[in-house]
Amino acid sequence: MTTAILASLLPNKLYGLILAALMALPGVRDEGHLADVASGIVGATLQATCSGDWASTDDCVPTWRGRPEELAALLITIGYWESKFLARIGKGRCEKWECDAYKGLDGKIYHRARGYFQVQASTAITMYEWNNMWGSGEYRAFVASSTAARLLGRHHASCKTVQGAISGYATGGRCSWRQAGARMTTYKTTLDRLQVRSMPVLVAKNP
C-alpha cells in the first residue's frame, strides 16, 4: 500500500475510532457536538504529527514525535479530565466555579481557562488561538485541539514520557504530578480503543 493511499485512509480511520472513544467515556453526553470534537482532534493530530495530508506538506514541522493515535488518546484524556467534553464549556459558558474561575477587583467572576482543553492565556499561545479555541463548530474544536496538541508536544519533549506530558500540561511545566496516575489510566484505556491493527500507521516525519 502506498504512502499516498495510507495518507487518505488514516483520517477516516482515526475519525471513527476517536468518535467511538469519546462516546465510550463515562459521563460524556453527545449534544450534537462530539462529531465536531472528533474532527478537531483528527485535524490537530495529523497536523502535529505531519501525517495524512500533512505528510506531503514541505513546511510541516512535527510537534509530536510519537504515533498519531498516541497524541489523539492524550488529547481525549486531557479534554475528558478538564471539561468532560461538555458542550457548554466548549462554548465558554462556564459556571462560576469552573474554568479556573476567580473574582476580579470589580467583584465579577472571570475565567482563566477556555475550551474543552482548558487552556490558559500565556506567551505559548497566540491571540488568534485564544480568541478561536472556544465556541461551536468543527473549526473551533480544531483550534482548541491544535493548541493543546502543541502544548502537550512541548511537555512531552521536555519530560520524555506521556505521564510527564500530562503532568507538565496540568502544572505548567513540572514533569511530576501526583494526580497524573488517574489520567494515565484513562489514556491507556483510550489508546487501546484507538489501536489500528488492520493497517500501518503513518508516523511523524523528521524535519
Side-chain angles (χ1 to χ4, degrees):
M1 187 176 291
T2 67
T3 299
I5 294 175
L6 282 174
S8 66
L9 287 177
L10 183 56
N12 293 331
K13 189 74 173 180
L14 266 181
Y15 172 79
L17 292 169
I18 288 171
L19 183 57
L22 287 169
M23 292 182 171
L25 291 168
V28 171
R29 295 179 300 164
D30 187 9
E31 301 175 58
H33 68 298
L34 289 184
D36 289 334
V37 173
S39 293
I41 291 175
V42 169
T45 296
L46 298 181
Q47 178 190 51
T49 58
C50 294
S51 302
D53 290 341
W54 290 90
S56 59
T57 304
D58 293 335
D59 59 352
C60 184
V61 178
T63 56
W64 179 264
R65 296 291 178 173
R67 293 177 296 161
E69 67 267 29
E70 292 171 339
L71 177 57
L74 189 52
L75 285 169
I76 291 171
T77 298
I78 297 298
Y80 176 67
W81 279 91
E82 293 291 340
S83 71
K84 293 296 188 289
F85 288 109
L86 288 171
R88 62 174 179 79
I89 291 183
K91 295 174 183 177
R93 299 206 298 264
C94 302
E95 299 288 355
K96 62 182 180 180
W97 59 84
E98 296 174 328
C99 303
D100 295 328
Y102 69 97
K103 183 179 289 187
L105 295 177
D106 57 3
K108 294 181 180 179
I109 299 297
Y110 296 92
H111 302 277
R112 295 186 180 90
R114 289 184 176 179
Y116 297 114
F117 305 96
Q118 292 292 276
V119 174
Q120 295 190 11
S122 71
T123 56
I125 67 171
T126 67
M127 185 58 67
Y128 181 85
E129 290 170 329
W130 179 247
N131 290 333
N132 289 278
M133 67 175 59
W134 59 348
S136 58
E138 182 178 332
Y139 181 70
R140 298 296 179 114
F142 166 73
V143 174
S145 301
S146 178
T147 304
R150 191 178 70 254
L151 296 175
L152 286 166
R154 289 184 179 183
H155 293 305
H156 186 261
S158 175
C159 298
K160 310 302 182 186
T161 66
V162 170
Q163 185 158 333
I166 290 172
S167 300
Y169 188 94
T171 64
R174 298 198 307 272
C175 295
S176 178
W177 182 48
R178 64 180 183 178
Q179 297 182 54
R183 301 191 182 198
M184 275 300 296
T185 298
T186 302
Y187 168 78
K188 291 175 182 177
T189 300
T190 302
L191 181 60
D192 187 61
R193 292 188 174 118
L194 297 184
Q195 294 300 321
V196 183
R197 298 184 177 88
S198 59
M199 70 175 194
V201 177
L202 295 176
V203 297
K205 67 181 182 180
N206 294 320

